Amino acid sequence: MATNPRRGSLSDARRSSISPHAPPRSVAGETHAGGAAFPNYAASHAGGGGGTVYSESVALEADSAAHLALVRLVAHADALTAELLRLARAVPWPLLGVQEANARAKEAEKKAQATQQPTDIAAARRAADGASEAVRLAPVLPDFSYLIAPELFDARAEEDLASRALDDELRAAEEEDSEGGEPASGEHVILRFASRVAALLLAIVRYQADLSAFFDELASGAYIQSTPEAMLQSPKARQLMAEAPARYGQLLLLLEVALPGPVRERCVVANVRHKGWDDAAMAGPSNSVLDGVDAMDRIVSLSRKTDVDVTALRRTGAPLPPDYIDSFFKRLPLDDAVIAMICARARAEDIYAQIQHWPEPEHRTSALANQAGVVFALLHLCPRILHSDYGAMREVVDKHFDGHWVVAWAPGYAFDLAWWWDAYPAAKAALANAVTTKRAVEMQAKHIASIPICRGQLKDLVDNGSLTDPDRALSALQPTLNVIRAANHALRWLLLHDTIDGGPLSAKKLKESLFAKRPNPETVLSLLLELSYVEDIAMEVFGALVDERGERWASLRESVVSKITELAQFYLGDTPLTAKMKDEGLSSYFDGLAKAVGALELTEALVGESGRKIQSILNAIDDLMRFHQIESFLQTKQHLSDVKRLLQRMVLVANLQERNITTLINVSDVGYVFGNFQMYTQLMRGRVCRDPSSVGQLRCFFLKLSRSVVEPPLMRINECDSQDFTSVCEHYSGCVVNYVESVLVSVPEAMLDTLLEAAALARSVPALAEPPSRIERSKLRDFAVPDVRRKMAALSRRVAELAAGILHMETAFLGVIEIDPVKVLEEGLRENLRHKAHLAVDATLAFQGSAGFADEEGKSMAPVPYPPGRAAGAFGGEIGGGGGLGAGKKRAKAASERHVTVQRCLSNLKGRLDALTAAFALVFDYTGAGGPTAFDDALGDVLWSLSQKEVVAHISWRRARLTQLKRSALASGKGSSSSSSSKKGATAIDTLVAEPSPPTSIGRLIIELLRLSDPFEFAYDPFRARWIPVVGASGEAMASSVEACEGSAASPPPLVPDGDGLSPPLLNLLSSTVGVQGVSALDRVVGTRVAGRVREALIAIDAFLPLDSGSRPVPAGQHAGASEVAQAVTSLSSTLSEAARGDARADAALTSLAGLAERIEKSPLACPSIMSLAGLIARIGQHQLLRASLREMLCEEAALDGGAYGSALAALSDAFVSTTAEAHSTALHATDTATKTSLPTDVDVGLARPLADMLDASGLGSPFETVYVVAAEAARTSHGGSTASWCEGGIPGPVHAGRVADLLVLLTCVCCVPRYVQDPSHGILLVSSKDLSATGAACRSPPDAQALSAGVACLLRQLPRSYTTAYFDGAASIARLYWGANCHESSSSLSAAMTASAAAEASRATAFFGGSGASSKASKAQCAADVSEGIGFLPSQSQLVVSFLRSMCSCGVSARELSARFVIDGVGGVFS
């Protein structure tokens, strides 16, 4: 159906000048050019022109400056109203306050439970997140209590580390937004929102000042020949005089209702704290009536909360406090005298001339409905009338609210006057007299009785073709307008008085009486949709007739002249057949009649005269047909009858004018229901699912709603060619589009549910699968299954009907936004896919049933915990072992059960996602909406949003945890080293905030993956890329068979683990289930956890030892064994110094090293401390190894599915790195300052950030090369400094930690490595069975050697390179001490060992991914055997050291750097 400009919301000219995709602009605080006559509004706005919305719109008088200034005032107020409504829809949750946010979250949850709609469920989920965010940010978003003592509040916030971190977070987000960056989370819009609210408040203050100044200048005669009385006499200016103050009243009411006082206060304070106020900017132009200080005072006054929640009172029906609204309006008042004068004229006259469109007396309240909203706002500016002027209020109510007590006073807002005016005596008395229970019931019955009558008349108009045949439509114009008026009048009353809740007790009794006899909502909705359909057709037909009016008039006139001329020729008797009928008098008469008809014109000036002439001609024809000569001749009589019919049609064409279209537009207004239509919205969703063909009627209703909502606010803006036209139009158009999408979302949901049912039916009946090419006759019935196929056909037909229904809704413009039904369907399907995928992920990834969850360390995060079986150390580190092999047997069994559980959950999730994929493929077949990758995109969106939520939650918890650690570290400088302070400090550390339960299913999945790779329960096998249990199901340690063969020629049998850890089959199942985007999301969350643990490890290292020897007191918050650890570090440093002196001191150094390890192992304080740090470092390594496995899956997918994409991306990365390195080298060696500062940055290059994201997504970026702590760069440049460096968010930097990191980490490795045994079958280090079976409190088993080495490598990468060098120098010295005198004789064998190790490590990926079956397994085992054999000649302690260091080479450590430290007698070895 073609869109007619008269039926649309805008004219073609205006629509063509607006881009539907232009971003909306903030209009709050827009600066208008000043002028001499009136500041801020005298000059014309620059902008697009265009036609007016209504034909009787106000035309500006060129010689009236007052008219010009007034219309710009009103236009600016309409723009401010749109901005206020835009902000009210997007209030960030933290600005609502904790109480209000929690209340809204509970309300959203109840609504979601009641409707079970995907949109409502998603809204409830967002509300819950918003409420938690409000609690988190509450300390840094104060109200006006801040203004009492701002310096004191800021000082306290600066001292409090958590508050300072939150303030820094808000400021950093604001800077990112100002630079065009993408905010990372929802709270990042808070300062931007607060700034817009502050600008809006300033604009409202300026509007009030300018309006008051305009009234003063108008009264003083500043505008020549314009006074208030003269303005009110002009019909055009009268509307503007009423609208200007009414718009101000509406702004104040909206400010109180839509942006409550607490929100305004927090916005103003946030803007003051983070941006400040500029008096010059607030004062505006130089000719402004305000100064900066006055504007600030008015903004504070306008923003102050009233302690009254209008929404809550309206919901509960509680009465408003006396003088509540009056006191709010008195903050910035207007002149009472002028307002009273305007109110008097408004209640006496029809200022909008709407009664001409509603000529029936009973329709007067509908005719004055828009004026009633203006009067409602004006009365609050002159409260004396509401309180005590009984006569005026009686006049207002009798004229505007006769039988009505609900008024729509702003877009989307309507008030119950029985509740709102309850505090005003005069208004309450007048309303009680006009609205009684008896009268209300009578009016309800009258309107209900008119519903079937109107529906019948509308049906007749459609069925008999009155609106399809243009000729019949001309005669049906007035009947059509009459039924449209009657139906709209009834609908206005029924819809407004059926959707408003609340009110005093008397009003509740009235509503109870009405509710008992309320009409069926389905019947009311049917009338609304049928009426919209008829109005749409009428607008189309009558619009075309108006456009063709002149052509149709000329055609009818020519036809009449032709027929009359034929009669004149007939009676002239020139032919033999007409000789007998010759009558020169009649011939001459008909000639004159033809000339008279030919002279008729349709111009506006002559249309009345032409109508009278046509009527005279019709009377003359009637008289002529009574003549006997004509009456007896049928041919002439028939000609005269045709002439008469054509003349009557000419009269109808003359009566059809543009005002009829204007009447149709005005009487079809339905903007009063916008925002108060929730119940009927649900009915619309149900109807479109039951009857998809009703989408055509819905389309007509949406167009009707668009006209009613979009056009009125644009009328004044369009008249003055304001720049705000595009912004305001896009806002209201967007509101309508959002409403349309909320209704049509039920169609794709019904389609997807039906297709899922069909897919489930197809899977449950094997006979529906593809039949074989040959079927035996006896089995043909088995493949037929007619009942099932009949049900499948019914489901397919249902889907086809739904698709056809929504596709039947043609593309239409709602305002300036185009609605494409195919896109609406596709977006709805995607939204439903996201919802169902979210439900599937949440339902299937629920591990341990209702037993709760545990973190990867086994610590309980729910009422029913996993049995941890081990003790937690300080700083989040973990002390392994405990319980002996008996507890290990239980843990092995639990690990096997966990493996089965994870596998089962992933298999279930894969099945549900495969069903969704099949269903969406059928949707694409039926409608063409979506595409092959649509489901993957939807699943990726779900998993990425879950990962984002998990990342935000983990960062929040980690920030709180690290803040506690930082407080402890800062307090250490003030504390003493006494035992009492140490005990207090230990207690504070041990009571750190525990990690909460994972908020999402992604977090639960990651916890399970981490528990299946626990470094205290599993050992990582790098050659097979799997985790094997350190204790079998029989309770025997995996290292037992290795230890049994030590010292004998027999080789230990290959280890076959009884339990299962994280393995390649499980990871492949994970990859096939969640896809590439899911694996990337998991990798992102794991990376966030690594970053937090790295920071925590640096704090732990810093807290273990003083800054330097004796220069700092022992921290009060450190371990009780810190002093012993300090002594051990000192001893280790001395041992290394002894070893560096040569072979002469080697024996002493070796003895000292053995004694050091023995003392630590026996110490009840130092051993748990060291093992705690080892556990924390191993956790880092565990995460790194898991990230490496995830990256390998991503890399494999990129290689298989991406083609040359991976190679191209790797080449681009290499080129970028080499270019950047070359530029860096050039800058370092440059002599001139310009070249030194020319190092390219991310902004300059414009490639680093997106390239890094693509590398991470494709798995090409190595996690072992990642620097997680940004402050490490600062540490590299400030090495040796005496001041501490702290990371963002109050996180300590590694300057302190780095100064002891090499020794402390090396000490940790010295204590752990001797407790491992070499496993030749796997080529890895295993924890000895002795340590696994230890039950003492002091001796705990170390973590997995591979995880520990990966953690050490990651930790060293965060520190300056000098510490890495020192660490490996110390490790090499220790290895030489263990080799002793045999080092020189074994140099050749050592070189061969290193070469064999390099070859084995290089073939690792090929051996694992390149082969299959027995050959692949053999090659993997051979790799491990080669490595073990290459170092078998070394002493046992030397084997352990070399194996440990070699495992670090696969975690990002340079093999060349290691091999250089093991050159003996000129023969070098290499590490892989």
Side-chain angles (χ1 to χ4, degrees):
M1 182 180 296
T3 302
N4 191 289
R6 294 178 178 80
R7 296 190 299 109
S9 61
L10 303 169
S11 65
D12 283 342
R14 170 61 69 183
R15 183 178 296 158
S16 63
S17 64
I18 298 175
S19 172
H21 306 290
R25 298 181 295 104
S26 172
V27 297
E30 181 179 1
T31 303
H32 298 269
F38 182 66
N40 294 347
Y41 296 94
S44 174
H45 286 195
T52 58
V53 178
Y54 303 114
S55 61
E56 68 267 30
S57 298
V58 177
L60 295 180
E61 300 179 11
D63 57 345
S64 176
H67 281 76
L68 191 64
L70 199 54
V71 75
R72 289 189 180 123
L73 274 171
V74 177
H76 187 59
D78 287 334
L80 293 178
T81 301
E83 173 71 357
L84 199 158
L85 294 174
R86 186 185 295 114
L87 294 176
R89 294 176 55 199
V91 179
W93 287 88
L95 292 176
L96 292 173
V98 177
Q99 184 176 359
E100 179 65 18
N102 290 331
R104 294 193 182 188
K106 293 180 180 178
E107 184 178 352
E109 183 179 2
K110 291 180 181 179
K111 182 179 179 182
Q113 293 175 353
T115 61
Q116 290 299 318
Q117 294 290 334
T119 53
D120 295 335
I121 295 175
R125 194 179 296 116
R126 290 193 298 269
D129 296 341
S132 62
E133 193 67 17
V135 175
R136 187 176 74 89
L137 293 176
V140 294
L141 293 174
D143 53 14
F144 274 179
S145 59
Y146 166 84
L147 299 179
I148 299 176
E151 295 83 2
L152 179 61
F153 183 92
D154 291 337
R156 290 178 178 176
E158 188 67 21
E159 293 177 359
D160 185 72
L161 300 178
S163 299
R164 186 171 63 184
L166 293 176
D167 276 335
D168 293 341
E169 178 183 336
L170 294 179
R171 294 189 186 99
E174 179 68 15
E175 293 174 0
E176 288 181 10
D177 181 66
S178 62
E179 295 174 0
E182 195 69 23
S185 56
E187 72 269 12
H188 288 180
V189 301
I190 292 177
L191 294 185
R192 180 176 53 184
F193 181 87
S195 177
R196 292 183 65 175
V197 170
L200 173 67
L201 294 171
L202 177 59
I204 294 176
V205 167
R206 288 178 180 173
Y207 179 82
Q208 184 270 344
D210 291 339
L211 183 60
S212 298
F214 173 80
F215 285 148
D216 293 342
E217 294 177 359
L218 192 64
S220 63
Y223 294 99
I224 306 301
Q225 298 180 350
S226 294
T227 61
E229 295 78 8
M231 295 283 286
L232 291 175
Q233 292 298 326
S234 171
K236 302 173 183 179
R238 189 186 305 142
Q239 299 177 13
L240 298 173
M241 287 288 289
E243 289 175 4
R247 294 290 192 274
Y248 175 66
Q250 291 173 359
L251 281 171
L252 294 185
L253 286 175
L254 283 174
L255 201 62
E256 178 63 15
V257 175
L259 284 179
V263 177
R264 300 194 300 268
E265 289 189 0
R266 292 187 181 94
C267 289
V268 172
V269 171
N271 200 68
V272 170
R273 289 190 65 220
H274 295 279
K275 291 190 174 182
W277 289 95
D278 187 356
D279 291 342
M282 285 192 295
S286 58
N287 55 358
S288 176
V289 297
L290 287 175
D291 58 20
V293 177
D294 190 15
M296 181 61 185
D297 293 340
R298 295 191 183 191
I299 288 175
V300 172
S301 175
L302 187 62
S303 304
R304 185 176 293 110
K305 59 185 177 183
T306 57
D307 295 327
V308 176
D309 190 348
V310 179
T311 305
L313 294 179
R314 180 184 176 188
R315 188 186 306 117
T316 59
L320 291 170
D323 298 331
Y324 153 60
I325 290 297
D326 296 345
S327 60
F328 183 71
F329 273 73
K330 286 179 181 178
R331 296 179 180 181
L332 295 177
L334 293 176
D335 188 0
D336 287 348
V338 178
I339 302 302
M341 186 187 306
I342 297 174
C343 287
R345 185 57 63 96
R347 69 173 182 263
E349 298 181 7
D350 175 19
I351 61 176
Y352 289 106
Q354 291 295 303
I355 293 181
Q356 61 177 327
H357 305 301
W358 301 82
E360 295 292 334
E362 61 182 6
H363 296 164
R364 184 179 61 179
T365 52
S366 295
L368 301 177
N370 293 331
Q371 183 173 326
V374 173
V375 172
F376 172 80
L378 286 173
L379 290 175
H380 288 90
L381 297 172
C382 189
R384 174 184 56 82
I385 301 177
L386 291 170
H387 283 284
S388 58
D389 198 339
Y390 288 85
M393 283 308 304
R394 178 67 179 271
E395 185 178 355
V396 168
V397 171
D398 289 345
K399 182 176 182 179
H400 299 89
F401 307 106
D402 184 19
H404 294 65
W405 62 90
V406 177
V407 57
W409 53 274
Y413 290 88
F415 274 171
D416 182 356
L417 295 180
W419 166 70
W420 188 258
W421 282 352
D422 188 58
Y424 299 100
K428 181 178 180 181
L431 189 64
N433 182 71
V435 180
T436 62
T437 303
K438 179 180 178 181
R439 177 166 173 75
V441 172
E442 291 176 353
M443 293 191 67
Q444 183 190 44
K446 177 183 176 181
H447 291 307
I448 292 175
S450 66
I451 292 179
I453 298 175
C454 292
R455 291 187 65 187
Q457 293 175 350
L458 293 172
K459 187 175 183 300
D460 292 340
L461 288 175
V462 176
D463 292 345
N464 60 21
S466 299
L467 297 180
T468 55
D469 184 9
D471 295 333
R472 300 185 66 179
L474 286 172
S475 58
L477 174 62
Q478 288 305 320
T480 302
L481 290 178
N482 291 337
V483 68
I484 289 176
R485 289 192 189 101
N488 276 288
H489 178 68
L491 283 173
R492 178 182 288 271
W493 197 95
L494 292 173
L495 293 176
L496 275 179
H497 296 80
D498 191 43
T499 57
I500 301 299
D501 299 326
L505 293 178
S506 58
K508 287 184 178 179
K509 294 179 180 178
L510 183 148
K511 293 173 184 177
E512 290 174 358
S513 302
L514 295 178
F515 187 81
K517 300 180 180 179
R518 66 183 300 190
N520 185 0
E522 287 286 354
T523 305
V524 178
L525 180 61
S526 298
L527 175 60
L528 177 61
L529 296 182
E530 293 168 3
L531 175 63
S532 302
Y533 180 69
V534 170
E535 288 174 350
D536 188 78
I537 298 177
M539 204 85 69
E540 179 77 22
V541 174
F542 294 135
L545 290 176
V546 170
D547 290 340
E548 300 169 359
R549 182 166 170 250
E551 299 175 1
R552 187 173 294 272
W553 171 275
S555 176
L556 291 173
R557 184 180 58 186
E558 292 176 2
S559 299
V560 171
V561 171
S562 175
K563 286 187 175 295
I564 296 177
T565 302
E566 290 178 0
L567 288 175
Q569 293 293 332
F570 178 78
Y571 284 101
L572 188 59
D574 292 341
T575 62
L577 294 176
T578 60
K580 294 182 179 180
M581 303 299 298
K582 184 177 181 178
D583 189 332
E584 294 182 358
L586 283 175
S587 177
S588 177
Y589 178 79
F590 284 124
D591 284 337
L593 194 60
K595 293 180 181 179
V597 172
L600 296 177
E601 296 293 339
L602 195 60
T603 59
E604 296 296 331
L606 301 176
V607 65
E609 181 181 353
S610 297
R612 290 190 295 271
K613 288 182 179 180
I614 292 175
Q615 192 61 41
S616 300
I617 294 173
L618 288 173
N619 294 333
I621 292 177
D622 288 338
D623 294 339
L624 186 61
M625 292 178 66
R626 296 190 185 97
F627 290 170
H628 175 71
Q629 184 178 0
I630 294 178
E631 186 179 11
S632 60
F633 195 71
L634 295 179
Q635 187 176 2
T636 301
K637 189 175 182 180
Q638 181 64 36
H639 260 67
L640 289 176
S641 298
D642 293 341
V643 170
K644 184 177 179 181
R645 179 176 56 82
L646 292 173
L647 288 173
Q648 290 173 347
R649 290 178 62 186
M650 290 179 66
V651 172
L652 294 176
V653 171
N655 289 332
L656 181 63
Q657 298 180 7
E658 188 72 28
R659 66 170 180 267
N660 300 120
I661 305 300
T662 304
T663 298
L664 191 56
I665 294 175
N666 280 275
V667 300
S668 63
D669 175 56
V670 75
Y672 54 88
V673 304
F674 191 67
N676 304 288
F677 207 58
Q678 290 81 4
M679 179 182 66
Y680 291 94
T681 301
Q682 296 293 335
L683 295 178
M684 287 181 183
R685 292 174 179 172
R687 171 167 295 202
V688 75
C689 290
R690 292 193 309 271
D691 182 15
S693 62
S694 61
V695 173
Q697 293 181 342
L698 278 175
R699 176 184 182 274
C700 299
F701 169 71
F702 295 149
L703 291 173
K704 173 186 175 82
L705 183 66
S706 175
R707 288 193 302 270
S708 304
V709 173
V710 178
E711 290 182 0
L714 295 175
M715 185 171 64
R716 304 305 181 192
I717 294 176
N718 188 34
E719 289 173 4
C720 65
D721 292 339
S722 172
Q723 295 176 349
D724 301 322
F725 185 93
T726 302
S727 175
V728 175
C729 186
E730 287 179 346
H731 165 68
Y732 288 108
S733 301
C735 292
V736 177
V737 169
N738 292 337
Y739 177 76
V740 171
E741 292 176 349
S742 69
V743 173
L744 296 180
V745 71
S746 58
V747 176
E749 181 182 2
M751 290 179 62
L752 205 56
D753 290 339
T754 305
L755 289 171
L756 285 175
E757 183 180 356
L761 182 62
R763 290 196 309 270
S764 62
V765 181
L768 292 179
E770 187 71 22
S773 57
R774 296 175 61 88
I775 303 176
E776 297 181 9
R777 181 182 302 177
S778 59
K779 297 182 180 180
L780 187 60
R781 184 179 297 275
D782 297 337
F783 284 94
V785 285
D787 295 337
V788 178
R789 293 186 183 275
R790 188 180 302 111
K791 187 175 182 180
M792 286 288 293
L795 294 174
S796 300
R797 179 178 179 180
R798 169 72 172 161
V799 173
E801 289 176 349
L802 290 170
I806 197 170
L807 294 178
H808 178 69
M809 192 181 77
E810 301 174 4
T811 301
F813 274 92
L814 299 181
V816 293
I817 300 179
E818 182 182 13
I819 287 292
D820 187 355
V822 177
K823 293 182 179 179
V824 172
L825 176 61
E826 182 174 347
E827 184 56 35
L829 288 171
R830 288 176 181 271
E831 182 63 31
N832 277 275
L833 275 176
R834 286 190 286 266
H835 171 65
K836 294 187 181 299
H838 195 288
L839 292 180
V841 172
D842 282 344
T844 53
L845 298 183
F847 306 99
Q848 292 293 322
S850 60
F853 308 104
D855 65 5
E856 76 272 16
E857 299 177 0
K859 300 173 186 175
S860 172
M861 297 188 291
V864 182
Y866 289 108
R870 52 185 177 266
F875 305 105
E878 185 171 316
I879 305 173
L885 293 178
K889 180 178 179 180
K890 297 179 180 179
R891 292 200 300 269
K893 182 179 179 181
S896 179
E897 294 176 353
R898 286 197 300 268
H899 186 279
V900 174
T901 301
V902 173
Q903 188 173 11
R904 183 179 65 251
C905 292
L906 290 176
S907 299
N908 294 338
L909 177 59
K910 187 176 186 335
R912 296 186 63 169
L913 295 180
D914 288 344
L916 286 173
T917 305
F920 194 75
L922 293 176
V923 172
F924 179 73
D925 294 338
Y926 279 112
T927 64
T933 62
F935 178 76
D936 294 336
D937 294 341
L939 179 61
D941 292 342
V942 171
L943 296 176
W944 190 257
S945 64
L946 291 176
S947 68
Q948 173 68 15
K949 186 176 180 180
E950 193 70 33
V951 166
V952 172
H954 185 79
I955 289 176
S956 300
W957 167 74
R958 186 67 67 178
R959 183 182 291 115
R961 186 179 177 93
L962 294 180
T963 299
Q964 287 183 315
L965 292 175
K966 180 179 177 181
R967 288 176 178 174
S968 175
L970 289 178
S972 65
K974 302 177 183 179
S976 64
S977 58
S978 63
S979 60
S980 60
S981 63
S982 299
K983 291 180 180 179
K984 292 180 181 179
T987 302
I989 289 297
D990 291 339
T991 57
L992 288 174
V993 56
E995 183 175 5
S997 301
T1000 66
S1001 53
I1002 288 293
R1004 298 195 293 268
L1005 176 60
I1006 289 176
I1007 291 296
E1008 292 300 317
L1009 296 179
L1010 291 173
R1011 296 181 69 222
L1012 288 176
S1013 58
D1014 191 334
F1016 290 98
E1017 296 183 9
F1018 300 93
Y1020 179 69
D1021 184 357
F1023 301 101
R1024 297 166 180 82
R1026 64 179 300 164
W1027 280 260
I1028 59 176
V1030 296
V1031 178
S1034 61
E1036 181 182 2
M1038 288 296 173
S1040 300
S1041 60
V1042 178
E1043 294 169 346
C1045 297
E1046 287 183 357
S1048 64
S1051 299
L1055 294 181
V1056 180
D1058 298 319
D1060 288 322
L1062 194 59
S1063 58
L1066 188 61
L1067 291 174
N1068 292 335
L1069 176 60
L1070 173 66
S1071 177
S1072 63
T1073 301
V1074 300
V1076 175
Q1077 293 173 317
V1079 175
S1080 179
L1082 291 172
D1083 175 73
R1084 180 179 180 228
V1085 177
V1086 175
T1088 303
R1089 299 177 67 91
V1090 176
R1093 288 192 174 274
V1094 166
R1095 292 185 173 97
E1096 192 169 337
L1098 293 175
I1099 298 176
I1101 294 174
D1102 183 56
F1104 264 114
L1105 294 175
L1107 178 63
D1108 46 36
S1109 179
S1111 65
R1112 197 176 80 177
V1114 177
Q1118 70 183 20
H1119 278 289
S1123 59
E1124 295 188 16
V1125 174
Q1127 295 175 5
V1129 170
T1130 304
S1131 299
L1132 179 62
S1133 179
S1134 302
T1135 300
L1136 296 178
S1137 299
E1138 293 288 337
R1141 295 181 182 180
D1143 296 338
R1145 305 293 297 175
D1147 294 338
L1150 185 59
T1151 303
S1152 175
L1153 185 63
L1156 174 63
E1158 183 178 359
R1159 288 197 307 272
I1160 293 178
E1161 184 175 354
K1162 293 181 179 180
S1163 172
L1165 297 178
C1167 183
S1169 299
I1170 291 296
M1171 290 298 105
S1172 175
L1173 180 60
L1176 180 56
I1177 297 175
R1179 294 293 176 191
I1180 297 174
Q1182 175 196 11
H1183 286 73
Q1184 287 286 83
L1185 294 175
L1186 179 58
R1187 287 198 78 188
S1189 299
L1190 296 175
R1191 291 290 179 91
E1192 285 182 0
M1193 290 190 293
L1194 291 174
C1195 188
E1196 183 180 6
E1197 292 293 334
L1200 294 176
D1201 300 335
Y1205 170 78
S1207 301
L1209 194 59
L1212 180 61
S1213 175
D1214 294 340
F1216 176 78
V1217 171
S1218 62
T1219 303
T1220 306
E1222 182 180 355
H1224 181 70
S1225 177
T1226 303
L1228 289 179
H1229 295 84
T1231 56
D1232 57 307
T1233 306
T1235 308
K1236 285 185 177 182
T1237 59
S1238 62
L1239 184 64
T1241 63
D1242 286 359
V1243 178
D1244 298 330
V1245 178
L1247 188 62
R1249 187 183 297 272
L1251 181 58
D1253 294 339
M1254 288 187 289
L1255 288 172
D1256 291 340
S1258 59
L1260 297 178
S1262 174
F1264 300 117
E1265 299 177 358
T1266 303
V1267 177
Y1268 293 100
V1269 181
V1270 180
E1273 296 298 331
R1276 290 192 177 96
T1277 58
S1278 60
H1279 177 59
S1282 59
T1283 59
S1285 173
W1286 302 91
C1287 295
E1288 183 181 358
I1291 301 171
V1295 173
H1296 282 179
R1299 303 191 61 165
V1300 295
D1302 52 346
L1303 294 175
L1304 188 55
V1305 173
L1306 185 59
L1307 178 64
T1308 303
C1309 297
V1310 166
C1311 295
C1312 292
V1313 171
R1315 305 167 76 174
Y1316 297 127
V1317 295
Q1318 180 73 30
D1319 175 21
S1321 64
H1322 288 75
I1324 60 176
L1325 298 178
L1326 294 176
V1327 180
S1328 65
S1329 58
K1330 174 185 175 181
D1331 289 286
L1332 286 176
S1333 60
T1335 57
C1339 296
R1340 302 289 183 174
S1341 65
D1344 175 37
Q1346 284 69 34
L1348 181 62
S1349 63
V1352 170
C1354 177
L1355 200 58
L1356 291 177
R1357 182 164 287 275
Q1358 318 307 313
L1359 299 173
R1361 186 173 182 83
S1362 58
Y1363 300 121
T1364 305
T1365 303
Y1367 172 84
F1368 285 119
D1369 288 342
S1373 298
I1374 293 174
R1376 292 191 182 94
L1377 289 177
Y1378 284 137
W1379 293 336
N1382 296 326
C1383 285
H1384 180 75
E1385 299 176 0
S1386 305
S1387 59
S1388 301
S1389 301
L1390 178 61
S1391 176
M1394 302 310 174
T1395 305
S1397 174
E1401 292 285 351
S1403 61
R1404 170 189 164 195
T1406 305
F1408 183 75
F1409 294 107
S1412 61
S1415 61
S1416 176
K1417 295 180 180 178
S1419 60
K1420 299 171 191 174
Q1422 186 63 37
C1423 290
D1426 291 343
V1427 173
S1428 300
E1429 183 180 356
I1431 62 175
F1433 74 96
L1434 295 173
S1436 59
Q1437 297 290 355
S1438 302
Q1439 290 185 29
L1440 299 180
V1441 175
V1442 173
S1443 296
F1444 186 82
L1445 294 175
R1446 190 191 65 245
S1447 63
M1448 294 181 62
C1449 294
S1450 61
C1451 301
V1453 175
S1454 172
R1456 181 176 301 176
E1457 183 177 2
L1458 277 177
S1459 62
R1461 288 171 171 78
F1462 292 91
V1463 176
I1464 302 173
D1465 292 340
V1467 180
V1470 294
F1471 282 80
S1472 170

